[in-house]
Amino acid sequence: MSPDTPSAPVVIAGAGPVGLALAVGLAHHGIESVVLEDDESPSAHSKAPGLLCRTLEIFRAWGVLDRFMEEGFFVTRPHIWMAGEETPRATIDFSVLADLTAVPGVLILPQNRTEGLLRERLTRSGLSDVRFGHRVVRFDQDGSGVSVRVERKAGSAYELRGHYLVGCDGAHSTVRETLGWPLEGTTYPTRLVLADVQLPDQRNDLPWPRLAGDDQQVLAAIRIEPRLWRVIATVDRRMSDEAATGAPEIARKVDRLFGPGSFECVWANVFRIHCRTSPHFRLGRVLLAGDAAHINSPAGGQGMNSGIQDAHNLAWKLDRALRGGVSEPLLASYEAERRPAILTSVDRYTDLLTRAFLLPPRAVRSSLARLARAVVSQPFVMRRLVPRAVMLDTRYRSSPLISGRGRWLGARAPDGPLRARDGRDVRLLDLTRRDAALLLFDDGRLPGWDVSQVQQLASDVPGLGVCRIVPPSPADGDSGDLVDATGSLARMWQPGAALAALVRPDGYVGWMAERPSREELRTGVRRALGVAA
């Protein structure tokens, strides 16, 4: 597309990780987009360096995970080290997630490289035009689309016409401010300094993550590239931002974490910590995602990850709306699902970590750290806590798309290994990499139905496949069956007689029921995917 292209299906404001992720998600479904970024060039800063399990699952679905794994550090069993000690203080074992996800770990990768890999994918797709130095200044919407006024740093202003506009343009979002919505919430009474430092000697081989005692302040470091470390510290309330990022203060922190020696500070900045959310994520054909819609404490690393999950939730719904789906419930479900998920899951979790480990005095933090070390040593406790930490437990409890009955309704579908009759190994969530899947468990026999009749119904719903999942040694079987080879799916799903479940393209269960009638199945499936009745 040229800069003066008169229209695009989706116009995206902001070429950070969320805007680029949305463009990748749309391209995955074959939808074109234009991405407009005020800055004249891509960011060179590392910013958010952690990609959690749920985000990695999304990248796997979009076919980009391998490139990310090549570029970053995939951490499956991190040991927590205290500077100057010879043994780790604690170990976090992500292997407890092995039955839940194909990617049981956290990927350490600087945000600018995450953005670069997403742009690389967009270039290969040929379905998105990313324009730096192009700023959204205003927009108007009507019943058929959105007219967007764009100013260029070099050149004349122009207008784009899109079916939808999505504001992914950060905490100071022009799109959100034009809609008249503030970010409502709290600013914490502390600041964080983040600094990226290069170490030229053997200190670069020190184990990580590492902590150091620092009077009343938090002080930690992780390695984000082979020779680049991220230093994280709270800032004394009496210290100015300039002093906190000055050479003497950064040198003091490096010395406490790594020992004496030279270093180069590549980047440093001070941030205030917020927990704020827009009162709405959508008005008509204009939507918000990522920091434009919500900003959170960096404690737990869920901010960027939650924004990418916004993009994943929205991409398939825009695709369906653009391809003739019932647009109102599809788009209304975005705010109905994502805003409560931010308020009840992301906000609460990051707020808890912030109040427990960033705000209290050192004595209180030390006591809580000892408790945390005792907790992470208990596998049965970790199996309950780690899914929350890596964002596998998000549940959509109220949505115009969700109906039916069952324990996994509105939740991310429990993942697990499957084996095709021809010997191929797949994961359950692989079945929804692009389309939705209607799962039939155990015998798959619905009242008055056989599998061929279910498949006939599915053929009337665009982008829906039928998958019959059987135990390792079924009494009978079909060449198209998928075998629950280890029995892990049966343990998690606990299917009763003739359980049917609709798993959406984002991997969430939109409808499920045991022994549903023909009308229940038809209505539930069509509602979950925004298909006209």
Side-chain angles (χ1 to χ4, degrees), residues 158-191:
Y158 62 97
E159 290 214 358
L160 278 174
R161 179 74 175 171
H163 292 288
Y164 300 100
L165 168 66
V166 185
C168 305
D169 47 343
H172 302 289
S173 167
T174 297
V175 175
R176 190 194 67 253
E177 291 175 357
T178 301
L179 293 170
W181 298 335
L183 286 176
E184 303 170 337
T186 300
T187 297
Y188 295 97
T190 191
R191 292 166 292 155

PDB file of all heavy atoms in Angstrom, residues 158-191:
ATOM      1  N   TYR A 158      -3.003  13.392   5.301  1.00  0.00           N
ATOM      2  CA  TYR A 158      -3.896  12.644   4.424  1.00  0.00           C
ATOM      3  C   TYR A 158      -4.946  11.935   5.269  1.00  0.00           C
ATOM      4  O   TYR A 158      -4.878  11.926   6.510  1.00  0.00           O
ATOM      5  CB  TYR A 158      -3.125  11.634   3.562  1.00  0.00           C
ATOM      6  CG  TYR A 158      -2.400  10.554   4.342  1.00  0.00           C
ATOM      7  CD1 TYR A 158      -2.967   9.294   4.526  1.00  0.00           C
ATOM      8  CD2 TYR A 158      -1.143  10.786   4.877  1.00  0.00           C
ATOM      9  CE1 TYR A 158      -2.302   8.296   5.223  1.00  0.00           C
ATOM     10  CE2 TYR A 158      -0.465   9.790   5.575  1.00  0.00           C
ATOM     11  CZ  TYR A 158      -1.056   8.553   5.743  1.00  0.00           C
ATOM     12  OH  TYR A 158      -0.393   7.570   6.439  1.00  0.00           O
ATOM     13  N   GLU A 159      -5.916  11.316   4.621  1.00  0.00           N
ATOM     14  CA  GLU A 159      -6.966  10.584   5.310  1.00  0.00           C
ATOM     15  C   GLU A 159      -6.964   9.131   4.876  1.00  0.00           C
ATOM     16  O   GLU A 159      -6.720   8.811   3.715  1.00  0.00           O
ATOM     17  CB  GLU A 159      -8.336  11.205   5.040  1.00  0.00           C
ATOM     18  CG  GLU A 159      -8.522  12.552   5.708  1.00  0.00           C
ATOM     19  CD  GLU A 159      -9.966  12.776   6.148  1.00  0.00           C
ATOM     20  OE1 GLU A 159     -10.828  11.913   5.897  1.00  0.00           O
ATOM     21  OE2 GLU A 159     -10.209  13.835   6.750  1.00  0.00           O
ATOM     22  N   LEU A 160      -7.224   8.266   5.842  1.00  0.00           N
ATOM     23  CA  LEU A 160      -7.446   6.845   5.590  1.00  0.00           C
ATOM     24  C   LEU A 160      -8.888   6.524   5.928  1.00  0.00           C
ATOM     25  O   LEU A 160      -9.469   7.096   6.864  1.00  0.00           O
ATOM     26  CB  LEU A 160      -6.540   5.988   6.472  1.00  0.00           C
ATOM     27  CG  LEU A 160      -5.099   5.755   6.041  1.00  0.00           C
ATOM     28  CD1 LEU A 160      -4.356   5.006   7.139  1.00  0.00           C
ATOM     29  CD2 LEU A 160      -5.050   4.960   4.739  1.00  0.00           C
ATOM     30  N   ARG A 161      -9.440   5.606   5.195  1.00  0.00           N
ATOM     31  CA  ARG A 161     -10.776   5.112   5.492  1.00  0.00           C
ATOM     32  C   ARG A 161     -10.664   3.639   5.828  1.00  0.00           C
ATOM     33  O   ARG A 161     -10.140   2.843   5.042  1.00  0.00           O
ATOM     34  CB  ARG A 161     -11.683   5.306   4.287  1.00  0.00           C
ATOM     35  CG  ARG A 161     -13.111   4.810   4.472  1.00  0.00           C
ATOM     36  CD  ARG A 161     -13.916   5.719   5.346  1.00  0.00           C
ATOM     37  NE  ARG A 161     -15.322   5.269   5.411  1.00  0.00           N
ATOM     38  CZ  ARG A 161     -16.222   5.775   6.236  1.00  0.00           C
ATOM     39  NH1 ARG A 161     -15.881   6.749   7.075  1.00  0.00           N
ATOM     40  NH2 ARG A 161     -17.468   5.327   6.235  1.00  0.00           N
ATOM     41  N   GLY A 162     -11.088   3.260   7.025  1.00  0.00           N
ATOM     42  CA  GLY A 162     -11.037   1.867   7.425  1.00  0.00           C
ATOM     43  C   GLY A 162     -12.385   1.407   7.943  1.00  0.00           C
ATOM     44  O   GLY A 162     -13.227   2.212   8.350  1.00  0.00           O
ATOM     45  N   HIS A 163     -12.592   0.097   7.950  1.00  0.00           N
ATOM     46  CA  HIS A 163     -13.799  -0.433   8.580  1.00  0.00           C
ATOM     47  C   HIS A 163     -13.718  -0.265  10.098  1.00  0.00           C
ATOM     48  O   HIS A 163     -14.732  -0.015  10.756  1.00  0.00           O
ATOM     49  CB  HIS A 163     -13.979  -1.908   8.219  1.00  0.00           C
ATOM     50  CG  HIS A 163     -14.295  -2.144   6.780  1.00  0.00           C
ATOM     51  ND1 HIS A 163     -15.509  -1.836   6.225  1.00  0.00           N
ATOM     52  CD2 HIS A 163     -13.539  -2.658   5.777  1.00  0.00           C
ATOM     53  CE1 HIS A 163     -15.503  -2.150   4.939  1.00  0.00           C
ATOM     54  NE2 HIS A 163     -14.316  -2.649   4.639  1.00  0.00           N
ATOM     55  N   TYR A 164     -12.488  -0.421  10.642  1.00  0.00           N
ATOM     56  CA  TYR A 164     -12.290  -0.311  12.085  1.00  0.00           C
ATOM     57  C   TYR A 164     -10.987   0.424  12.373  1.00  0.00           C
ATOM     58  O   TYR A 164     -10.032   0.346  11.595  1.00  0.00           O
ATOM     59  CB  TYR A 164     -12.248  -1.699  12.738  1.00  0.00           C
ATOM     60  CG  TYR A 164     -13.521  -2.488  12.525  1.00  0.00           C
ATOM     61  CD1 TYR A 164     -13.597  -3.475  11.539  1.00  0.00           C
ATOM     62  CD2 TYR A 164     -14.644  -2.222  13.294  1.00  0.00           C
ATOM     63  CE1 TYR A 164     -14.771  -4.176  11.323  1.00  0.00           C
ATOM     64  CE2 TYR A 164     -15.827  -2.926  13.087  1.00  0.00           C
ATOM     65  CZ  TYR A 164     -15.879  -3.899  12.106  1.00  0.00           C
ATOM     66  OH  TYR A 164     -17.059  -4.585  11.887  1.00  0.00           O
ATOM     67  N   LEU A 165     -10.960   1.122  13.519  1.00  0.00           N
ATOM     68  CA  LEU A 165      -9.751   1.765  14.034  1.00  0.00           C
ATOM     69  C   LEU A 165      -9.471   1.190  15.408  1.00  0.00           C
ATOM     70  O   LEU A 165     -10.372   1.139  16.260  1.00  0.00           O
ATOM     71  CB  LEU A 165      -9.945   3.280  14.130  1.00  0.00           C
ATOM     72  CG  LEU A 165      -8.869   4.061  14.907  1.00  0.00           C
ATOM     73  CD1 LEU A 165      -7.528   4.007  14.200  1.00  0.00           C
ATOM     74  CD2 LEU A 165      -9.311   5.521  15.109  1.00  0.00           C
ATOM     75  N   VAL A 166      -8.222   0.766  15.624  1.00  0.00           N
ATOM     76  CA  VAL A 166      -7.833   0.226  16.927  1.00  0.00           C
ATOM     77  C   VAL A 166      -6.687   1.069  17.481  1.00  0.00           C
ATOM     78  O   VAL A 166      -5.631   1.190  16.848  1.00  0.00           O
ATOM     79  CB  VAL A 166      -7.412  -1.255  16.829  1.00  0.00           C
ATOM     80  CG1 VAL A 166      -7.136  -1.804  18.242  1.00  0.00           C
ATOM     81  CG2 VAL A 166      -8.489  -2.083  16.146  1.00  0.00           C
ATOM     82  N   GLY A 167      -6.901   1.667  18.654  1.00  0.00           N
ATOM     83  CA  GLY A 167      -5.872   2.459  19.310  1.00  0.00           C
ATOM     84  C   GLY A 167      -4.965   1.583  20.149  1.00  0.00           C
ATOM     85  O   GLY A 167      -5.373   1.067  21.189  1.00  0.00           O
ATOM     86  N   CYS A 168      -3.741   1.416  19.663  1.00  0.00           N
ATOM     87  CA  CYS A 168      -2.690   0.698  20.397  1.00  0.00           C
ATOM     88  C   CYS A 168      -1.543   1.672  20.649  1.00  0.00           C
ATOM     89  O   CYS A 168      -0.368   1.300  20.606  1.00  0.00           O
ATOM     90  CB  CYS A 168      -2.190  -0.504  19.602  1.00  0.00           C
ATOM     91  SG  CYS A 168      -3.482  -1.671  19.109  1.00  0.00           S
ATOM     92  N   ASP A 169      -1.908   2.933  20.891  1.00  0.00           N
ATOM     93  CA  ASP A 169      -0.932   4.022  20.896  1.00  0.00           C
ATOM     94  C   ASP A 169      -0.530   4.476  22.297  1.00  0.00           C
ATOM     95  O   ASP A 169      -0.220   5.639  22.522  1.00  0.00           O
ATOM     96  CB  ASP A 169      -1.444   5.203  20.071  1.00  0.00           C
ATOM     97  CG  ASP A 169      -2.887   5.589  20.366  1.00  0.00           C
ATOM     98  OD1 ASP A 169      -3.618   4.788  20.963  1.00  0.00           O
ATOM     99  OD2 ASP A 169      -3.287   6.700  19.986  1.00  0.00           O
ATOM    100  N   GLY A 170      -0.511   3.545  23.239  1.00  0.00           N
ATOM    101  CA  GLY A 170       0.142   3.777  24.516  1.00  0.00           C
ATOM    102  C   GLY A 170      -0.679   4.528  25.539  1.00  0.00           C
ATOM    103  O   GLY A 170      -1.840   4.890  25.332  1.00  0.00           O
ATOM    104  N   ALA A 171      -0.035   4.777  26.692  1.00  0.00           N
ATOM    105  CA  ALA A 171      -0.720   5.372  27.837  1.00  0.00           C
ATOM    106  C   ALA A 171      -1.237   6.775  27.550  1.00  0.00           C
ATOM    107  O   ALA A 171      -2.189   7.234  28.186  1.00  0.00           O
ATOM    108  CB  ALA A 171       0.218   5.391  29.035  1.00  0.00           C
ATOM    109  N   HIS A 172      -0.619   7.486  26.613  1.00  0.00           N
ATOM    110  CA  HIS A 172      -1.074   8.824  26.232  1.00  0.00           C
ATOM    111  C   HIS A 172      -1.824   8.776  24.901  1.00  0.00           C
ATOM    112  O   HIS A 172      -1.693   9.662  24.055  1.00  0.00           O
ATOM    113  CB  HIS A 172       0.116   9.781  26.163  1.00  0.00           C
ATOM    114  CG  HIS A 172       0.867   9.878  27.452  1.00  0.00           C
ATOM    115  ND1 HIS A 172       0.365  10.510  28.569  1.00  0.00           N
ATOM    116  CD2 HIS A 172       2.081   9.379  27.818  1.00  0.00           C
ATOM    117  CE1 HIS A 172       1.236  10.424  29.562  1.00  0.00           C
ATOM    118  NE2 HIS A 172       2.281   9.745  29.134  1.00  0.00           N
ATOM    119  N   SER A 173      -2.622   7.748  24.737  1.00  0.00           N
ATOM    120  CA  SER A 173      -3.305   7.446  23.488  1.00  0.00           C
ATOM    121  C   SER A 173      -4.135   8.607  22.953  1.00  0.00           C
ATOM    122  O   SER A 173      -5.044   9.111  23.624  1.00  0.00           O
ATOM    123  CB  SER A 173      -4.217   6.231  23.697  1.00  0.00           C
ATOM    124  OG  SER A 173      -5.106   6.063  22.628  1.00  0.00           O
ATOM    125  N   THR A 174      -3.828   9.010  21.735  1.00  0.00           N
ATOM    126  CA  THR A 174      -4.658  10.005  21.046  1.00  0.00           C
ATOM    127  C   THR A 174      -6.057   9.458  20.793  1.00  0.00           C
ATOM    128  O   THR A 174      -7.055  10.179  20.906  1.00  0.00           O
ATOM    129  CB  THR A 174      -4.000  10.414  19.716  1.00  0.00           C
ATOM    130  OG1 THR A 174      -2.746  11.040  19.988  1.00  0.00           O
ATOM    131  CG2 THR A 174      -4.882  11.370  18.934  1.00  0.00           C
ATOM    132  N   VAL A 175      -6.133   8.174  20.452  1.00  0.00           N
ATOM    133  CA  VAL A 175      -7.433   7.566  20.166  1.00  0.00           C
ATOM    134  C   VAL A 175      -8.308   7.597  21.418  1.00  0.00           C
ATOM    135  O   VAL A 175      -9.466   8.030  21.375  1.00  0.00           O
ATOM    136  CB  VAL A 175      -7.253   6.128  19.646  1.00  0.00           C
ATOM    137  CG1 VAL A 175      -8.622   5.457  19.456  1.00  0.00           C
ATOM    138  CG2 VAL A 175      -6.480   6.122  18.328  1.00  0.00           C
ATOM    139  N   ARG A 176      -7.758   7.172  22.550  1.00  0.00           N
ATOM    140  CA  ARG A 176      -8.554   7.160  23.786  1.00  0.00           C
ATOM    141  C   ARG A 176      -8.920   8.583  24.225  1.00  0.00           C
ATOM    142  O   ARG A 176     -10.054   8.855  24.628  1.00  0.00           O
ATOM    143  CB  ARG A 176      -7.801   6.458  24.916  1.00  0.00           C
ATOM    144  CG  ARG A 176      -8.680   6.190  26.150  1.00  0.00           C
ATOM    145  CD  ARG A 176      -7.924   5.799  27.390  1.00  0.00           C
ATOM    146  NE  ARG A 176      -7.111   6.908  27.868  1.00  0.00           N
ATOM    147  CZ  ARG A 176      -5.790   6.966  27.773  1.00  0.00           C
ATOM    148  NH1 ARG A 176      -5.118   5.985  27.213  1.00  0.00           N
ATOM    149  NH2 ARG A 176      -5.137   8.022  28.226  1.00  0.00           N
ATOM    150  N   GLU A 177      -7.972   9.488  24.147  1.00  0.00           N
ATOM    151  CA  GLU A 177      -8.248  10.864  24.564  1.00  0.00           C
ATOM    152  C   GLU A 177      -9.293  11.518  23.668  1.00  0.00           C
ATOM    153  O   GLU A 177     -10.113  12.315  24.133  1.00  0.00           O
ATOM    154  CB  GLU A 177      -6.946  11.663  24.577  1.00  0.00           C
ATOM    155  CG  GLU A 177      -5.994  11.217  25.695  1.00  0.00           C
ATOM    156  CD  GLU A 177      -4.643  11.915  25.637  1.00  0.00           C
ATOM    157  OE1 GLU A 177      -4.425  12.709  24.693  1.00  0.00           O
ATOM    158  OE2 GLU A 177      -3.810  11.652  26.535  1.00  0.00           O
ATOM    159  N   THR A 178      -9.299  11.193  22.384  1.00  0.00           N
ATOM    160  CA  THR A 178     -10.326  11.716  21.482  1.00  0.00           C
ATOM    161  C   THR A 178     -11.709  11.201  21.880  1.00  0.00           C
ATOM    162  O   THR A 178     -12.707  11.920  21.770  1.00  0.00           O
ATOM    163  CB  THR A 178     -10.003  11.325  20.030  1.00  0.00           C
ATOM    164  OG1 THR A 178      -8.723  11.860  19.668  1.00  0.00           O
ATOM    165  CG2 THR A 178     -11.060  11.856  19.075  1.00  0.00           C
ATOM    166  N   LEU A 179     -11.763   9.970  22.357  1.00  0.00           N
ATOM    167  CA  LEU A 179     -13.028   9.411  22.826  1.00  0.00           C
ATOM    168  C   LEU A 179     -13.458  10.010  24.164  1.00  0.00           C
ATOM    169  O   LEU A 179     -14.604   9.815  24.600  1.00  0.00           O
ATOM    170  CB  LEU A 179     -12.909   7.889  22.954  1.00  0.00           C
ATOM    171  CG  LEU A 179     -12.728   7.120  21.642  1.00  0.00           C
ATOM    172  CD1 LEU A 179     -12.388   5.656  21.925  1.00  0.00           C
ATOM    173  CD2 LEU A 179     -13.969   7.221  20.768  1.00  0.00           C
ATOM    174  N   GLY A 180     -12.538  10.723  24.838  1.00  0.00           N
ATOM    175  CA  GLY A 180     -12.871  11.377  26.096  1.00  0.00           C
ATOM    176  C   GLY A 180     -12.784  10.491  27.317  1.00  0.00           C
ATOM    177  O   GLY A 180     -13.377  10.795  28.357  1.00  0.00           O
ATOM    178  N   TRP A 181     -12.006   9.413  27.229  1.00  0.00           N
ATOM    179  CA  TRP A 181     -11.907   8.475  28.347  1.00  0.00           C
ATOM    180  C   TRP A 181     -10.566   8.618  29.053  1.00  0.00           C
ATOM    181  O   TRP A 181      -9.510   8.493  28.420  1.00  0.00           O
ATOM    182  CB  TRP A 181     -12.046   7.038  27.841  1.00  0.00           C
ATOM    183  CG  TRP A 181     -13.365   6.743  27.193  1.00  0.00           C
ATOM    184  CD1 TRP A 181     -14.545   7.372  27.404  1.00  0.00           C
ATOM    185  CD2 TRP A 181     -13.620   5.728  26.217  1.00  0.00           C
ATOM    186  NE1 TRP A 181     -15.540   6.832  26.626  1.00  0.00           N
ATOM    187  CE2 TRP A 181     -14.998   5.808  25.890  1.00  0.00           C
ATOM    188  CE3 TRP A 181     -12.835   4.755  25.598  1.00  0.00           C
ATOM    189  CZ2 TRP A 181     -15.591   4.955  24.966  1.00  0.00           C
ATOM    190  CZ3 TRP A 181     -13.427   3.907  24.682  1.00  0.00           C
ATOM    191  CH2 TRP A 181     -14.797   4.007  24.369  1.00  0.00           C
ATOM    192  N   PRO A 182     -10.555   8.833  30.362  1.00  0.00           N
ATOM    193  CA  PRO A 182      -9.293   8.857  31.111  1.00  0.00           C
ATOM    194  C   PRO A 182      -8.887   7.441  31.516  1.00  0.00           C
ATOM    195  O   PRO A 182      -9.687   6.501  31.430  1.00  0.00           O
ATOM    196  CB  PRO A 182      -9.660   9.678  32.354  1.00  0.00           C
ATOM    197  CG  PRO A 182     -11.099   9.299  32.596  1.00  0.00           C
ATOM    198  CD  PRO A 182     -11.717   9.133  31.213  1.00  0.00           C
ATOM    199  N   LEU A 183      -7.645   7.288  31.927  1.00  0.00           N
ATOM    200  CA  LEU A 183      -7.219   6.044  32.567  1.00  0.00           C
ATOM    201  C   LEU A 183      -7.474   6.206  34.062  1.00  0.00           C
ATOM    202  O   LEU A 183      -6.829   7.013  34.735  1.00  0.00           O
ATOM    203  CB  LEU A 183      -5.740   5.766  32.292  1.00  0.00           C
ATOM    204  CG  LEU A 183      -5.383   5.298  30.881  1.00  0.00           C
ATOM    205  CD1 LEU A 183      -3.875   5.157  30.729  1.00  0.00           C
ATOM    206  CD2 LEU A 183      -6.064   3.967  30.543  1.00  0.00           C
ATOM    207  N   GLU A 184      -8.418   5.425  34.588  1.00  0.00           N
ATOM    208  CA  GLU A 184      -8.851   5.562  35.968  1.00  0.00           C
ATOM    209  C   GLU A 184      -8.145   4.547  36.856  1.00  0.00           C
ATOM    210  O   GLU A 184      -7.979   3.385  36.469  1.00  0.00           O
ATOM    211  CB  GLU A 184     -10.363   5.352  36.068  1.00  0.00           C
ATOM    212  CG  GLU A 184     -11.162   6.313  35.194  1.00  0.00           C
ATOM    213  CD  GLU A 184     -12.624   5.958  35.100  1.00  0.00           C
ATOM    214  OE1 GLU A 184     -12.961   4.770  35.326  1.00  0.00           O
ATOM    215  OE2 GLU A 184     -13.438   6.848  34.793  1.00  0.00           O
ATOM    216  N   GLY A 185      -7.717   4.986  38.038  1.00  0.00           N
ATOM    217  CA  GLY A 185      -7.085   4.051  38.950  1.00  0.00           C
ATOM    218  C   GLY A 185      -6.117   4.712  39.888  1.00  0.00           C
ATOM    219  O   GLY A 185      -6.350   5.827  40.370  1.00  0.00           O
ATOM    220  N   THR A 186      -4.969   4.053  40.113  1.00  0.00           N
ATOM    221  CA  THR A 186      -4.029   4.427  41.161  1.00  0.00           C
ATOM    222  C   THR A 186      -2.633   4.625  40.600  1.00  0.00           C
ATOM    223  O   THR A 186      -2.215   3.900  39.687  1.00  0.00           O
ATOM    224  CB  THR A 186      -3.978   3.310  42.231  1.00  0.00           C
ATOM    225  OG1 THR A 186      -5.286   3.140  42.781  1.00  0.00           O
ATOM    226  CG2 THR A 186      -2.997   3.639  43.341  1.00  0.00           C
ATOM    227  N   THR A 187      -1.909   5.586  41.176  1.00  0.00           N
ATOM    228  CA  THR A 187      -0.469   5.704  40.974  1.00  0.00           C
ATOM    229  C   THR A 187       0.209   5.392  42.308  1.00  0.00           C
ATOM    230  O   THR A 187      -0.112   6.008  43.329  1.00  0.00           O
ATOM    231  CB  THR A 187      -0.085   7.114  40.506  1.00  0.00           C
ATOM    232  OG1 THR A 187      -0.689   7.361  39.233  1.00  0.00           O
ATOM    233  CG2 THR A 187       1.431   7.245  40.364  1.00  0.00           C
ATOM    234  N   TYR A 188       1.113   4.441  42.300  1.00  0.00           N
ATOM    235  CA  TYR A 188       1.751   4.002  43.550  1.00  0.00           C
ATOM    236  C   TYR A 188       2.775   5.036  44.031  1.00  0.00           C
ATOM    237  O   TYR A 188       3.378   5.751  43.224  1.00  0.00           O
ATOM    238  CB  TYR A 188       2.448   2.659  43.345  1.00  0.00           C
ATOM    239  CG  TYR A 188       1.506   1.521  43.029  1.00  0.00           C
ATOM    240  CD1 TYR A 188       1.283   1.126  41.713  1.00  0.00           C
ATOM    241  CD2 TYR A 188       0.840   0.843  44.044  1.00  0.00           C
ATOM    242  CE1 TYR A 188       0.421   0.081  41.412  1.00  0.00           C
ATOM    243  CE2 TYR A 188      -0.022  -0.210  43.754  1.00  0.00           C
ATOM    244  CZ  TYR A 188      -0.228  -0.584  42.444  1.00  0.00           C
ATOM    245  OH  TYR A 188      -1.083  -1.618  42.145  1.00  0.00           O
ATOM    246  N   PRO A 189       2.988   5.081  45.350  1.00  0.00           N
ATOM    247  CA  PRO A 189       3.938   6.059  45.909  1.00  0.00           C
ATOM    248  C   PRO A 189       5.387   5.584  45.824  1.00  0.00           C
ATOM    249  O   PRO A 189       6.127   5.640  46.807  1.00  0.00           O
ATOM    250  CB  PRO A 189       3.479   6.174  47.367  1.00  0.00           C
ATOM    251  CG  PRO A 189       2.932   4.811  47.681  1.00  0.00           C
ATOM    252  CD  PRO A 189       2.286   4.333  46.409  1.00  0.00           C
ATOM    253  N   THR A 190       5.782   5.109  44.685  1.00  0.00           N
ATOM    254  CA  THR A 190       7.177   4.722  44.486  1.00  0.00           C
ATOM    255  C   THR A 190       7.502   4.842  43.007  1.00  0.00           C
ATOM    256  O   THR A 190       6.604   4.949  42.170  1.00  0.00           O
ATOM    257  CB  THR A 190       7.442   3.279  44.961  1.00  0.00           C
ATOM    258  OG1 THR A 190       8.847   3.032  44.994  1.00  0.00           O
ATOM    259  CG2 THR A 190       6.798   2.260  44.038  1.00  0.00           C
ATOM    260  N   ARG A 191       8.783   4.846  42.693  1.00  0.00           N
ATOM    261  CA  ARG A 191       9.248   4.892  41.310  1.00  0.00           C
ATOM    262  C   ARG A 191      10.233   3.750  41.095  1.00  0.00           C
ATOM    263  O   ARG A 191      10.843   3.250  42.043  1.00  0.00           O
ATOM    264  CB  ARG A 191       9.946   6.218  41.020  1.00  0.00           C
ATOM    265  CG  ARG A 191       9.046   7.448  41.031  1.00  0.00           C
ATOM    266  CD  ARG A 191       9.870   8.723  41.078  1.00  0.00           C
ATOM    267  NE  ARG A 191      10.561   8.854  42.353  1.00  0.00           N
ATOM    268  CZ  ARG A 191      11.686   9.556  42.555  1.00  0.00           C
ATOM    269  NH1 ARG A 191      12.264  10.171  41.532  1.00  0.00           N
ATOM    270  NH2 ARG A 191      12.236   9.625  43.744  1.00  0.00           N
TER     271      ARG A 191
END
